[in-house]
Amino acid sequence: MRLKQITKLLFIFLSVFALSSCNDSSSDYDTSGLSGDSQISSFKIAALPYTAIDTVNYPSLATTRFSIDQISRLIYNADSLPYQTTLRKCAVTLSYAAGSIGKVELVYPKDSVVDWNTTDSVDFSTYLYPKFRITPLNGKEPREYTIKILIHKEDPDTLIWKENVPTGYPASFDKQKTLLVNGTFYTFTARTDNKIYLSKANKPDNIEAALSYGDNQALSGELDASALESIIFFNNKFYAVDKNKQGYTAGIEGISWSKDGISNNVTSIVGVIPTLDAATDLLLVVTGDQFATTSDLKTLESKIKIDSDFPTTGYSSLTHNDRSNLNNCVLTVTKNISGLGYVKTWSIKTTSDNSLQVTFNQSNPVIPKKDGIVTFLYDGYMYALTGNSFYKTVSYGYKWITAPNKEMLDTRIPKASGQSVIVDEKNYIWVFGGVPDSGTSLIQKVWIGRINKLRTKL
């Protein structure tokens, strides 16, 4: 009897043990300890080029940084890829906050879903990019990320032009010179009566708005039309010299000009000589056969003798400074005298011992030898405009090249010389007036251009 009870107890024990073993099968396991994190922590793309354009554009992929918005679950590149980039089959590299995940799927626009094994290429050739669905190790709450790859829609190197027809623009003049001072355009014009007139217009915040000029007033004082080319704004005053070497100055209003106390022995005002501090910048002038510097056109400090080939008229000068090293006044001249003429660019700067250093390049055959040139700094280059063509240099005139076609003036702009070119703080190029090469109609339109890549970033 006792043996039967022991046998019965043993049977019950073995049955419970067997049942327990079945419930602990290796095919069923507890996932509560596995990670539920499915965040993507980094996203990279690599691709093989298909075309010559790809060969140029694809290297930028290696340095393209993708941002990941974990709240919106959006992956995007803040800096757009180059114009005409086409991403076909690309290799994608993902990394995860948890180190590893359970599964990655590609969710295509028409709701088709495929497993992605991390080595299969991904097609980004259309704007309907697949989404990445990331399932964590615990199999719960997958995350779905939208991919947004930004590509420039317009050629960033194209110079786009807009025509502006000002209201109140001077109706009759022979020549003009326009300066931008404290947000106001000052347009000085010379007429057949040998006088200079001034019209002013505030620069609009929106280039879609037309310039609106005020009254056209004759300048007071004795300066005549010969002083127009020399007018310059420096240290909150206007300065000019006439054909008789007499200097003049005017306040910010630009109307009342005086020669009292101003030198009467200045052949030309070359430009502004920059220094390490804007407060000590100086005007560079020519007096007799000497260069001289001055802060007010009253007291002149003679420097060195000018080269016999140095121009005193028909040139364009600009000031370049970074207030540390490259501080110079750059002057470019083109002339056409009896079919000869020349093209030269001069660089003038002050040295550490306060002397002048003057250098010039050799004649450059790229720029035509004709009267009328204007220079300006833009996009890291020094540009020259003459004959409605742009030329550019990175060596301050040592070597000029013809600007590519996509950086040229609009074909609607009439051929002219003596235009005023101004670059504003938003990288817009303003082209004013000029003397037309043919016809008698004065150029009363203003043209505004900007290279696409220099758009102001909001």
Side-chain angles (χ1 to χ4, degrees):
M1 183 72 177
R2 185 173 180 84
L3 181 59
K4 289 182 178 180
Q5 290 179 338
I6 293 173
T7 302
K8 185 176 181 180
L9 289 173
L10 181 59
F11 175 78
I12 293 173
F13 174 78
L14 292 173
S15 297
V16 171
F17 179 80
L19 182 61
S20 173
S21 298
C22 289
N23 287 338
D24 194 31
S25 171
S26 60
S27 62
D28 296 320
Y29 52 88
D30 185 2
T31 62
S32 61
L34 298 178
S35 173
D37 190 348
S38 58
Q39 292 187 91
I40 296 176
S41 59
S42 71
F43 179 92
K44 296 180 180 179
I45 290 180
L48 294 175
Y50 279 70
T51 67
I53 292 177
D54 293 342
T55 303
V56 174
N57 290 342
Y58 278 15
S60 64
L61 287 174
T63 57
T64 299
R65 299 185 62 179
F66 286 89
S67 299
I68 303 176
D69 184 338
Q70 298 291 357
I71 297 176
S72 300
R73 299 181 185 179
L74 175 67
I75 299 174
Y76 65 97
N77 53 313
D79 294 329
S80 297
L81 292 172
Y83 174 67
Q84 291 185 330
T85 297
T86 300
L87 299 176
R88 294 173 176 83
K89 293 184 177 181
C90 304
V92 176
T93 302
L94 302 178
S95 59
Y96 312 97
S100 60
I101 45 82
K103 181 172 61 174
V104 180
E105 297 169 296
L106 296 179
V107 181
Y108 286 94
K110 295 183 179 180
D111 296 327
S112 61
V113 180
V114 297
D115 288 338
W116 184 64
N117 65 4
T118 74
T119 60
D120 289 340
S121 61
V122 180
D123 189 356
F124 291 107
S125 61
T126 69
Y127 71 95
L128 297 174
Y129 306 142
K131 297 180 180 180
F132 281 79
R133 180 185 294 168
I134 313 299
T135 302
L137 288 172
N138 67 6
K140 301 176 182 179
E141 298 183 9
R143 281 176 170 249
E144 200 165 273
Y145 288 85
T146 298
I147 310 301
K148 187 175 183 180
I149 300 177
L150 302 176
I151 299 172
H152 282 291
K153 301 301 182 184
E154 297 177 326
D155 187 344
D157 296 318
T158 296
L159 188 52
I160 305 298
W161 292 96
K162 175 180 172 53
E163 177 184 326
N164 189 301
V165 182
T167 60
Y169 196 74
S172 177
F173 57 87
D174 291 332
K175 296 181 179 181
Q176 67 81 40
K177 183 170 187 176
T178 299
L179 305 174
L180 177 60
V181 177
N182 299 334
T184 299
F185 289 114
Y186 288 66
T187 296
F188 297 91
T189 56
R191 297 185 183 177
T192 54
D193 60 6
N194 202 33
K195 293 182 179 179
I196 298 178
Y197 295 78
L198 172 62
S199 298
K200 291 186 280 188
N202 292 327
K203 185 173 77 67
D205 293 331
N206 182 359
I207 65 164
E208 301 298 326
L211 287 174
S212 180
Y213 276 89
D215 294 337
N216 193 28
Q217 297 177 269
L219 304 187
S220 65
E222 299 178 25
L223 77 171
D224 57 33
S226 67
L228 178 72
E229 182 184 24
S230 68
I231 295 176
I232 190 171
F233 187 77
F234 175 73
N235 279 353
N236 296 315
K237 290 184 178 181
F238 289 98
Y239 293 94
V241 295
D242 64 16
K243 63 184 178 182
N244 298 316
K245 303 182 181 180
Q246 175 63 59
Y248 298 85
T249 186
I252 189 68
E253 85 289 341
I255 296 295
S256 301
W257 290 73
S258 171
K259 64 179 182 181
D260 294 342
I262 303 299
S263 173
N264 61 359
N265 190 30
V266 177
T267 305
S268 65
I269 300 175
V270 178
V272 176
I273 286 287
T275 62
L276 297 179
D277 184 352
T280 59
D281 287 351
L282 296 167
L283 283 178
L284 178 68
V285 302
V286 172
T287 175
D289 62 353
Q290 299 281 316
F291 284 114
T293 56
T294 178
S295 61
D296 54 12
L297 218 59
K298 296 179 180 180
T299 303
L300 308 181
E301 182 180 347
S302 294
K303 293 297 182 178
I304 59 176
K305 188 175 181 179
I306 66 171
D307 190 282
S308 60
D309 207 20
F310 191 84
T312 56
T313 187
Y315 58 81
S316 176
S317 70
L318 57 82
T319 298
H320 176 270
N321 68 74
D322 61 14
R323 300 299 176 191
S324 60
N325 183 29
L326 297 175
N327 297 304
N328 55 5
C329 176
V330 185
L331 179 145
T332 300
V333 57
T334 59
K335 287 187 176 181
N336 184 16
I337 304 172
S338 301
L340 300 175
Y342 64 82
V343 177
K344 281 190 176 180
T345 305
W346 305 72
S347 176
I348 308 170
K349 64 180 180 180
T350 55
T351 61
S352 57
D353 61 357
N354 199 34
S355 61
L356 280 184
Q357 182 182 80
V358 182
T359 58
F360 63 88
N361 70 343
Q362 298 302 310
S363 297
N364 193 307
V366 174
I367 301 178
K369 299 174 182 179
K370 60 178 295 183
D371 293 330
I373 190 169
V374 59
T375 55
F376 58 98
L377 295 172
Y378 193 65
D379 189 28
Y381 292 86
M382 176 177 165
Y383 278 80
L385 170 62
T386 182
N388 271 40
S389 295
F390 281 133
Y391 304 87
K392 58 196 290 190
T393 175
V394 292
S395 55
Y396 300 101
Y398 181 76
K399 181 179 180 181
W400 289 93
I401 62 171
T402 302
N405 289 335
K406 56 188 175 183
E407 293 180 21
M408 287 299 180
L409 284 179
D410 194 296
T411 55
R412 295 172 294 171
I413 302 177
K415 287 188 176 182
S417 61
Q419 300 101 322
S420 293
V421 178
I422 297 167
V423 178
D424 69 14
E425 74 284 354
K426 294 182 179 179
N427 296 310
Y428 283 111
I429 302 171
W430 298 72
V431 180
F432 289 82
V435 179
D437 286 1
S438 60
T440 57
S441 298
L442 299 172
I443 299 176
Q444 296 180 307
K445 295 179 180 179
V446 176
W447 297 86
I448 309 169
R450 183 170 63 181
I451 291 179
N452 280 330
K453 66 183 177 184
L454 296 183
R455 290 178 177 176
T456 303
K457 293 184 178 180
L458 302 178

